[in-house]
């Protein structure tokens, strides 16, 4: 019986055995099956069963636009796996910046500008730093050689670090002194600005949700280096356990950890700090050398701190294994880590990139490993407040606090050190959690300083890098995206993989993992975007795109950040200037900037033509109208056929009308920038800078 003749109930059972990528491909086969991604009830079932933890699913639970959010999720994944973004634009210029949770904060000419990129904001919140400090830290006008930099932004709460060096009255040497300025950008209200000292500015981490703000930093006490923690309750406007203290230097000394696993502080390289479900997770891939030499294994150290410091769940390196050293050395320059919540299961996981010389090989392989942070077997302890102001004495969470079995964590760690020294082996890895990427024996070799962004997207099994292809002696950048994906093999292909038992027994642990991975998955060759220019007939549109990705006169250092749906990177200016050009690349079709025109050349690079053709021919639904209203897609929806339309007089006339309509619909602030005052003297609202810069393209929706 044809699939088209089955009732909805039977079709739903078939869909239960397909992943979302296969559902998407099935919907593109004919017009009638397009209903798989346009019918609300089917879309709701798919989202809740296949991707319950995805952002799109959470949005659909609020807006009830299940079909729209399902297509948005599918297009995002397809955009990443095919390395074909939906938007590229220069969004601002600044001296310092951060990008977190889809919000860009950057400093320009004494102003902190806040732009919500994921929500396609047309306005920026502009904070006058001088006036903000006058209210938060009145004595700051008398201080010279100070620095102000943003640290974190989440749930409309912005945290900034203001610090300088001052003489210590006790020892006479210089030490950092400063203030953590936390304010609500939506309410224009300063939440807290405590003073602090005896800290390392480069090791200052802030994370928050709408309830609690956590502060983590590394400091030095009489007992040596320690990681200090505390939390600020946003509802009660109070630091936890610090009712009588007024300085964060005292506040931070209440809770600390001398575990050596958390001493290095290279964020997203050796340490990760993220909030999931009202708990903050701390992860480190740095272990003690004695343990690693004794057992020849490396592990992760993970802590989950429940709000507000009610309990601490700890997993030591002995329980969360990472790699087996005898499988080969590593090139640590390519290592990065990122914690995330799995879209399909809701589990907290970590993905780590490692470049390794696998046993008996003379070439390196950059591999992406995914590990589930299983906290069910974690040791549970409680925090104890340290009343000593310098934090040199007192009980730490892993020193004298008892676990649930009554044994102290130190005793348990010592018993582990004195245990059986027999080398342990890693448990078998799921092939889905091991993704071999670049192989130095097959593809081009990239230098680490030519790859400012390294990323991996587990939801679509794709690694994606930002690479600079300019010669080393060139004063011009040539930035491109480069990524590779993989697909699960069919049963017949898997049956074709076979090795003799003797061959398998001679393989190392890592080689056995790789053998199973290549048996299960077919790895596609990496692709790059945008395409190369044709030297015989260069495209002016492609030349403009390369100028957006590599802004002229900005050939300095490239730094970047990424999340599951976008890239942001900064290109330093030439000639010693501190100004940087900020470039935004989006893989989310719902992100669309007002005033940014469609790409005048071929709209799709490498994206399957069948997907676009069926999308254009599909009937318009209520959800599609919702997309058009919110995604500024009036210009982009027909953009895929611009080149074809220009070949006829009627088509050229239609293109001119479209561009004229776009210009009329652009906000008036694009021509003349006006600011709107707010209740706070230090805060104003101004049009987004990308509207005046006008350097960007939409590619398709």
């Amino acid at each position: 019986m044809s699939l088209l003749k089955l009732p909805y109930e039977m079709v739903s059972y078939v869909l239960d055995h397909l992943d979302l990528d296969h559902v998407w491909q099935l919907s593109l086969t004919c017009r009638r099956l397009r209903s798989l991604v346009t019918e609300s009830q089917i879309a709701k079932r798919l989202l809740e069963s296949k991707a319950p933890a995805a952002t799109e699913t959470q949005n659909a639970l609020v807006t009830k636009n299940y079909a729209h959010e399902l297509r948005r999720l599918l297009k995002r994944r397809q955009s990443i796996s095919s390395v074909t973004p939906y938007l590229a634009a220069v969004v601002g210029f600044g001296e310092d910046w951060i990008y977190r949770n889809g919000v860009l904060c950057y400093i320009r000419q004494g102003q902190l500008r806040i732009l919500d990129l994921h929500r396609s904001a047309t306005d920026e919140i502009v904070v006058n730093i001088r006036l903000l400090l006058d209210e938060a830290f009145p004595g700051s006008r008398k201080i010279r050689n100070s620095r102000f930099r943003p640290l974190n932004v989440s749930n409309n709460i912005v945290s900034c670090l203001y610090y300088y060096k001052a003489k210590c009255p006790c020892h006479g040497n210089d030490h950092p002194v400063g203030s953590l300025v936390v304010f609500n950008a939506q309410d224009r209200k300063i939440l807290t600005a405590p003073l602090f000292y005896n800290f390392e500015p480069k090791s200052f981490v802030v994370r928050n949700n709408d309830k609690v703000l956590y502060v983590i930093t590394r400091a030095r006490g009489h007992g040596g280096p320690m990681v200090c923690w505390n939390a600020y309750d946003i509802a009660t406007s109070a630091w936890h356990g610090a009712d009588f203290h007024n300085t964060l230097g005292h506040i931070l000394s209440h809770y600390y950890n001398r575990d050596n696993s958390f001493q290095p502080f290279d964020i997203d390289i050796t340490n990760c700090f993220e909030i999931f479900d009202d708990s903050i997770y701390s992860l480190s891939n740095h272990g003690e050398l004695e343990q690693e030499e004794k057992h020849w294994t490396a592990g992760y150290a993970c802590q989950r701190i429940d709000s507000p410091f009610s309990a601490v769940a700890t997993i030591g390196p002995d329980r969360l294994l990472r790699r087996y050293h005898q499988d080969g050395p590593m090139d640590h320059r390519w290592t990065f880590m990122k914690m995330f919540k799995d879209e399909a299961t809701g589990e907290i996981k970590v993905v780590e990139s490692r470049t390794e010389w696998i046993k008996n090989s003379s070439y390196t392989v950059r591999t992406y490993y995914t590990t589930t942070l299983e906290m069910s077997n974690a040791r549970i302890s409680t925090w104890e407040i340290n009343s000593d102001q310098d934090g040199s004495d007192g009980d730490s969470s892993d020193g004298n606090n008892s676990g649930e079995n009554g044994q102290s964590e130190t005793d348990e760690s010592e018993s582990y050190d004195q245990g059986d020294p027999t080398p342990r082996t890693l448990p078998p890895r799921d092939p889905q959690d091991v993704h071999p990427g670049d192989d130095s024996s097959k593809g081009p070799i990239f230098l680490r300083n030519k790859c400012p962004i390294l990323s991996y997207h587990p939801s679509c099994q794709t690694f994606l890098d930002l690479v600079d292809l300019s010669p080393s002696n060139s004063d011009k950048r040539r930035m491109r995206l480069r990524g590779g994906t993989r697909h699960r093999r069919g049963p017949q292909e898997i049956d074709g993989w076979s090795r003799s038992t003797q061959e398998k027994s001679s393989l190392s642990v890592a080689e056995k993992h790789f053998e199973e991975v290549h048996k299960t998955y077919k790895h596609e060759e990496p692709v790059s975007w945008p395409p190369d220019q044709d030297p015989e007939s260069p495209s002016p549109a492609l030349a403009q795109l390369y100028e957006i990705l590599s802004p002229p006169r900005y050939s300095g250092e490239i730094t970047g950040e990424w999340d599951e749906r976008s890239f942001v990177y900064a290109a330093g200016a030439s000639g010693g200037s501190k100004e940087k050009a900020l470039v935004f690349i989006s893989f989310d079709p719902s992100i669309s900037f007002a005033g940014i025109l469609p790409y005048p050349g071929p709209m799709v690079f490498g994206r399957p033509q069948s997907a676009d053709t069926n999308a254009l021919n599909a009937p318009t639904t209520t959800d599609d109208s919702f997309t058009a209203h919110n995604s500024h897609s009036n210009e982009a929806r027909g953009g895929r056929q611009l080149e074809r339309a220009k070949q006829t007089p009627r088509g050229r006339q239609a293109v001119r009308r479209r561009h004229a309509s776009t210009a009329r619909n652009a906000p008036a602030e694009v021509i003349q920038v006006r600011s709107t005052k707010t209740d706070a003297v230090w805060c104003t609202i101004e049009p987004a800078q990308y509207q005046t810069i006008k350097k960007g393209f939409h590619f398709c929706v």
Side-chain angles (χ1 to χ4, degrees):
M1 178 181 290
S2 170
L3 185 64
L4 301 177
K5 297 181 180 179
L6 292 177
Y8 273 0
E9 293 79 3
M10 298 298 295
V11 173
S12 65
Y13 284 121
V14 174
L15 297 182
D16 287 341
H17 297 278
L18 302 177
D19 58 27
L20 285 178
D21 182 58
H22 291 150
V23 173
W24 173 247
Q25 297 299 326
L26 182 62
S27 71
L28 299 175
T29 57
C30 69
R31 184 184 295 271
R32 291 185 62 182
L33 289 178
R34 179 68 177 170
S35 62
L36 297 178
V37 295
T38 59
E39 207 281 325
S40 182
Q41 290 300 318
I42 295 179
K44 179 180 179 181
R45 181 185 178 93
L46 289 173
L47 285 174
E48 294 179 347
S49 61
K50 307 292 185 181
T55 301
E56 290 82 357
T57 304
Q58 303 305 312
N59 291 341
L61 295 176
V62 177
T63 63
K64 306 304 179 184
N65 291 294
Y66 294 99
H68 164 69
E69 294 296 340
L70 174 62
R71 293 194 298 274
R72 177 188 173 192
L73 182 147
L74 293 171
K75 290 180 179 181
R76 167 173 64 87
R77 292 184 177 182
Q78 183 199 37
S79 175
I80 294 173
S81 61
S82 61
V83 196
T84 52
Y86 285 97
L87 170 67
V90 179
V91 293
F93 298 93
E95 296 92 28
D96 199 359
W97 66 283
I98 61 169
Y99 179 64
R100 285 194 58 81
N101 303 299
V103 180
L104 175 67
C105 294
Y106 63 102
I107 296 176
R108 176 174 171 83
Q109 298 177 351
Q111 296 177 332
L112 176 66
R113 308 182 71 93
I114 306 169
L115 176 62
D116 193 337
L117 295 173
H118 279 190
R119 296 181 181 274
S120 308
T122 57
D123 296 321
E124 293 180 343
I125 298 175
V126 181
V127 176
N128 187 304
I129 297 176
R130 179 68 271 159
L131 298 180
L132 174 68
L133 291 176
D134 285 344
E135 182 176 339
F137 190 21
S140 60
R141 282 189 178 268
K142 301 178 182 180
I143 299 172
R144 297 293 181 265
N145 299 323
S146 60
R147 185 177 178 184
F148 182 92
R149 64 185 182 93
L151 292 179
N152 187 63
V153 54
S154 177
N155 293 272
N156 297 314
I157 296 174
V158 183
S159 303
C160 302
L161 182 64
Y162 173 74
Y163 63 97
Y164 58 94
K165 286 189 176 181
K167 291 288 185 181
C168 177
C170 301
H171 304 92
N173 58 334
D174 291 342
H175 68 284
V177 177
S179 176
L180 178 66
V181 181
V182 182
F183 63 91
N184 190 309
Q186 185 176 24
D187 298 339
R188 285 67 156 160
K189 177 184 177 182
I190 297 177
L191 302 180
T192 182
L195 300 176
F196 58 97
Y197 56 89
N198 190 26
F199 69 100
E200 297 181 10
K202 294 183 179 180
S203 302
F204 209 102
V205 180
V206 176
R207 297 289 185 264
N208 72 272
N209 53 19
D210 59 343
K211 301 176 183 178
V212 183
L213 181 141
Y214 292 92
V215 178
I216 311 104
T217 188
R218 188 169 66 173
R220 290 187 177 274
H222 296 310
M226 57 187 179
V227 177
C228 306
W229 297 71
N230 208 334
Y232 176 80
D233 192 311
I234 297 174
T236 61
S237 302
W239 289 95
H240 184 69
D243 296 335
F244 58 94
H245 288 304
N246 192 32
T247 62
L248 194 56
H250 296 289
I251 292 172
L252 285 178
S253 66
H254 281 294
Y255 308 101
Y256 65 95
N257 184 340
R258 286 202 183 94
D259 185 355
N260 291 332
S261 299
F262 292 91
Q263 283 190 18
F265 239 69
D266 295 325
I267 302 302
D268 293 336
I269 298 177
T270 63
N271 293 79
C272 290
F273 301 92
E274 295 295 342
I275 294 179
F276 301 105
D277 302 326
D278 295 333
S279 297
I280 185 168
Y281 289 75
S282 174
L283 184 75
S284 172
N285 61 14
H286 175 79
E288 291 198 41
L289 185 60
E290 290 183 4
Q291 294 181 3
E292 293 185 356
E293 285 185 343
K294 190 172 184 178
H295 296 272
W296 290 107
T297 56
Y300 296 105
C302 180
Q303 288 183 336
R304 186 195 67 207
I305 302 175
D306 299 327
S307 174
F309 294 105
S310 57
V312 182
T314 303
I315 301 179
D318 55 321
R319 302 188 182 186
L320 198 59
L321 297 181
R322 175 176 170 240
R323 71 184 301 264
Y324 191 46
H325 287 312
Q326 290 185 350
D327 284 326
M330 287 176 53
D331 186 350
H332 294 277
R333 297 173 302 169
W334 296 88
T335 299
F336 75 82
M337 295 196 308
K338 199 174 191 71
M339 281 191 288
F340 66 98
K341 178 179 284 190
D342 189 277
E343 293 183 352
T345 64
E347 296 176 315
I348 308 302
K349 298 183 177 182
V350 58
V351 59
E352 181 179 17
S353 167
R354 299 198 294 265
T355 296
E356 303 165 308
W357 284 268
I358 301 301
K359 188 176 181 181
N360 299 327
S361 67
S362 59
Y363 56 89
T364 61
V365 178
R366 181 148 54 105
T367 310
Y368 305 88
Y369 298 92
T370 303
T371 304
T372 302
L373 303 181
E374 181 58 58
M375 305 299 293
S376 60
N377 296 325
R379 300 189 297 267
I380 307 298
S381 60
T382 57
W383 291 90
E384 292 188 9
I385 296 180
N386 171 32
S387 60
D388 185 37
Q389 295 181 359
D390 63 8
S392 60
D393 300 316
D395 298 329
S396 66
S397 63
D398 61 335
N400 297 327
N401 294 329
S402 298
E404 57 187 353
N405 59 357
Q407 182 185 19
S408 69
E409 296 181 21
T410 300
D411 295 340
E412 188 170 342
S413 177
E414 290 175 355
S415 65
Y416 160 70
D417 289 340
Q418 297 172 1
D420 184 8
T422 303
R424 296 171 296 165
T425 58
L426 291 173
R429 285 184 178 271
D430 189 329
Q432 184 178 355
D433 297 335
V434 181
H435 187 166
D438 280 334
D439 187 332
S440 62
S441 66
K442 298 179 181 179
I445 299 177
F446 295 92
L447 300 177
R448 180 63 181 90
N449 60 359
K450 292 289 188 177
C451 302
I453 297 182
L454 308 175
S455 71
Y456 185 73
H457 303 265
S459 62
C460 48
Q461 297 282 295
T462 303
F463 68 88
L464 193 60
D465 302 337
L466 178 71
V467 299
D468 180 11
L469 298 183
S470 62
S472 57
N473 57 352
S474 174
D475 58 351
K476 295 182 179 179
R477 299 286 186 180
R478 191 164 180 266
M479 309 307 298
R480 297 178 76 183
L481 295 178
R482 181 177 182 274
T485 188
R486 63 179 184 174
H487 305 283
R488 189 176 288 271
R489 295 182 185 273
Q492 294 180 349
E493 293 180 284
I494 293 178
D495 293 339
W497 280 78
S498 62
R499 267 187 196 264
S500 65
T501 306
Q502 185 177 1
E503 287 179 324
K504 291 183 178 180
S505 62
S506 63
L507 298 177
S508 66
V509 175
E511 288 173 323
K512 291 179 181 178
H513 290 166
F514 280 87
E515 171 73 13
E516 192 65 25
V517 168
H518 288 289
K519 176 182 177 181
T520 308
Y521 286 94
K522 179 182 179 182
H523 296 75
E524 305 291 343
E525 288 295 323
V527 296
S528 298
W529 180 92
D532 292 320
Q533 278 277 26
D534 186 352
E536 298 182 356
S537 58
S539 168
L542 189 57
Q544 294 180 41
L545 177 57
Y546 270 110
E547 287 190 357
I548 293 171
L549 299 178
S550 307
R553 301 185 302 276
Y554 290 88
S555 58
E557 182 184 8
I558 305 290
T559 58
E561 297 288 346
W562 63 279
D563 56 29
E564 78 281 1
R565 64 190 68 240
S566 58
F567 278 11
V568 171
Y569 63 93
S574 307
S577 173
K578 294 184 178 180
E579 188 177 72
K580 302 177 178 67
L582 301 172
V583 182
F584 176 66
I585 299 176
S586 169
F587 303 95
D588 187 339
S590 69
I591 300 176
S592 183
F593 293 162
I596 299 296
L597 298 177
Y599 181 65
M603 295 296 294
V604 180
F605 301 126
R607 195 168 290 158
Q609 185 64 29
S610 60
D612 302 312
T613 304
N614 284 277
L616 282 174
N617 295 333
T620 303
T621 64
T622 305
D623 290 324
D624 291 327
S625 301
F626 178 85
T627 305
H629 176 74
N630 288 275
S631 301
H632 193 67
S633 61
N634 293 329
E635 306 100 331
R637 180 170 295 140
R640 291 181 294 271
Q641 298 178 339
L642 279 178
E643 284 299 304
R644 198 180 310 164
K646 290 180 181 178
Q647 297 176 4
T648 62
R650 181 177 297 178
R652 286 192 292 269
Q653 185 178 3
V655 170
R656 285 195 296 269
R657 286 199 302 268
R658 164 177 285 178
H659 288 172
S661 175
T662 302
R664 289 194 302 269
N665 294 333
E669 290 84 356
V670 172
I671 301 174
Q672 183 178 1
V673 176
R674 295 193 298 267
S675 62
T676 303
K677 295 183 178 180
T678 64
D679 296 337
V681 67
W682 43 267
C683 183
T684 57
I685 306 296
E686 294 184 4
Q689 289 294 297
Y690 67 76
Q691 298 183 14
T692 58
I693 297 172
K694 296 182 180 179
K695 287 187 179 295
F697 289 122
H698 290 114
F699 294 99
C700 65
V701 174

